[in-house]
Amino acid sequence: MATPHRYTTLAIALHWMVAALIFCAFPLGLYMSDLKLSPLKLQLVSYHKWLGVTIFLLVLLRLVWRATHTPPALPASIAAWQQRAAHGLHHLLYVLMLGIPVSGWLMSSAKGVPVVYLGLVRLPDLLSKDKALGNALQTLHASLNYVLLALVFLHIAAALKHQFVDRDDTLSRMLPPLKRKS
Amino acid sequence: MRTLNRYLLPALLLVASSVHALEFSEVQAAKSSLVFGYQQMRVPLTGTFTRFAIQARFDPAKPAAAQARIDIDLSSIDTGNSDADEEMPGKLWFNTKQFPTGQFVSSSIKALGGNRYEAQGKLTLKGKTLDVTAPFTFRQEGANAIFDGSFKLNRLDYAIGEGLWADIATLANEVSITFHFVASSKK
Ligand code: HEM
Ligand code: HEM
């Protein structure tokens, strides 16, 4: 059986949806946490949580996809260590894409603020109220985000390097319109 | 029937009159609580006032003679969020410099049947006085009387959260007040 040259449409759709939502949730998180208390801040924090929970749900879907599919093989021209590095990085990205929303949810619970997804579905409180723990989780949430920022930067840099320096078909596996004619 | 009249009735009257004599007036602040609940972006939240003084007289057999007055130190608000706690004394919220305390003064208390009662009275917050009706239950636990009740108010009726905070889509207008008072009878 020939290995496919690109991710399935579902995997591609999920990858880009999640990436787009993270590119919204991240700056929103930075912006809102510096605002002084106001109705706008309360709204933005709620939207941030809804975005974050949406990302969490989509990433769970992605993991189902991963568990039932083998990703397309990377171009054979890529050195083995680079392939291993790419896989390691992808695993870390998955860990963060789950860990960050969960840390946010834990933070909310510890601060005594339930998460009500889209203002409709009340999620269970994961922890009972504990101010010190809430602050620690806030630091954790922020720190994990900075790790994500660094790794996504690497991830994008690698994708661009393959596209523009190596000129191979790595990026087109996630962005089929870029497929080079061979 | 005669024996009943002769023995049981006086006994009942005795019990009844001893109930009469029990008047609960010593409120135990440390065991009592005053909680408010509200919704922020449809998220249910609660906070408390930690300092309040209560003067009350309550005899379950004579609710009509009962009285209650509660003075709340509004700067003792604990919203559970330190940023919000800093906002609360401000002009847009309680303006505690000008209006340091809130008061509830009962005007009438009536029995609703069973262990349920209803207090009507005037609630003053931030210089505005409005009528409120608070149903509550009464139960006796050892030497203590326990009063549990709640009522709702609209914060904007008292101008609590003015200006940008009047946005009730973000911060609901309706606030529920839940009280739990423990009182013992004066010896
Ligand atoms: C992948 C999803 C998420 C991303 C990328 C993300 C990103 C961020 C970022 C960058 C910050 C600012 C950190 C700082 O420098 O202080 C932040 C703050 C925050 N996040 Fe998230 N977050 C996500 C999911 C969640 C979820 C699911 C929740 C809650 C259910 C949440 C709750 C919060 C809260 C409450 C703050 C603000 C803390 C404060 O300053 O008061 N986040 N987030
Ligand atoms: C928040 C942003 C992003 C996250 C969290 C993310 C995460 C991931 C993950 C976890 C995979 C592995 C998929 C799998 O095999 O299950 C992946 C693959 C890929 N991503 Fe991203 N991605 C992001 C943004 C981007 C961007 C902006 C680009 C392009 C410039 C990109 C290009 C790719 C490519 C080409 C692949 C396939 C690479 C391969 O299979 O080795 N990603 N991404």
Side-chain angles (χ1 to χ4, degrees), chain B residues 72-112:
Chain B
I72 308 159
D73 176 353
L74 297 173
S75 65
S76 76
I77 191 168
D78 177 1
T79 62
N81 174 304
S82 42
D83 288 341
D85 288 349
E86 277 173 31
E87 284 275 317
M88 291 300 114
K91 279 217 163 74
L92 297 181
W93 289 94
F94 287 98
N95 193 2
T96 53
K97 227 180 230 155
Q98 210 178 330
F99 305 107
T101 53
Q103 276 105 31
F104 171 80
V105 180
S106 69
S107 42
S108 81
I109 295 179
K110 65 175 188 227
L112 297 180

Side-chain angles (χ1 to χ4, degrees), chain A residues 4 10-11 13 35 44 56 65 68 85 89-90 96 109 113 123 139 141 149 159 168-169 178 182:
Chain A
L10 176 66
L35 288 178
L44 294 183
F56 180 69
W65 181 90
T68 52
L89 182 57
H90 292 162
L96 288 170
S109 297
V113 184
L123 307 188
T139 308
H141 188 68
L149 182 68
D168 61 23
D169 262 329
L178 293 184
S182 48

Side-chain angles (χ1 to χ4, degrees), chain A residues 58-71:
Chain A
L58 290 174
V59 173
L60 288 182
L61 261 182
R62 272 180 91 169
L63 288 181
V64 172
W65 181 90
R66 252 322 269 258
T68 52
H69 296 74
T70 312

Side-chain angles (χ1 to χ4, degrees), chain A residues 7 15-16 62 66 74 90 94 97 155 171 173-174:
Chain A
Y7 281 89
H15 174 268
W16 292 113
R62 272 180 91 169
R66 252 322 269 258
L74 282 162
H90 292 162
Y94 278 121
M97 286 188 290
H155 178 69
L171 185 50
R173 294 154 69 257
M174 207 37 114

Side-chain angles (χ1 to χ4, degrees), chain A residues 114-179:
Chain A
V115 180
V116 182
Y117 184 47
L118 305 177
L120 297 171
V121 186
R122 179 167 173 174
L123 307 188
D125 293 333
L126 299 179
L127 294 170
S128 50
K129 191 166 174 172
D130 180 337
K131 217 171 196 167
L133 186 58
N135 290 336
L137 286 164
Q138 185 172 341
T139 308
L140 177 69
H141 188 68
S143 312
L144 290 177
N145 267 294
Y146 288 109
V147 178
L148 177 71
L149 182 68
L151 295 186
V152 166
F153 182 78
L154 254 180
H155 178 69
I156 295 174
L160 297 180
K161 173 192 173 269
H162 284 286
Q163 183 66 14
F164 297 110
V165 179
D166 301 338
R167 304 187 150 270
D168 61 23
D169 262 329
T170 304
L171 185 50
S172 71
R173 294 154 69 257
M174 207 37 114
L175 208 58
L178 293 184
K179 179 101 178 93

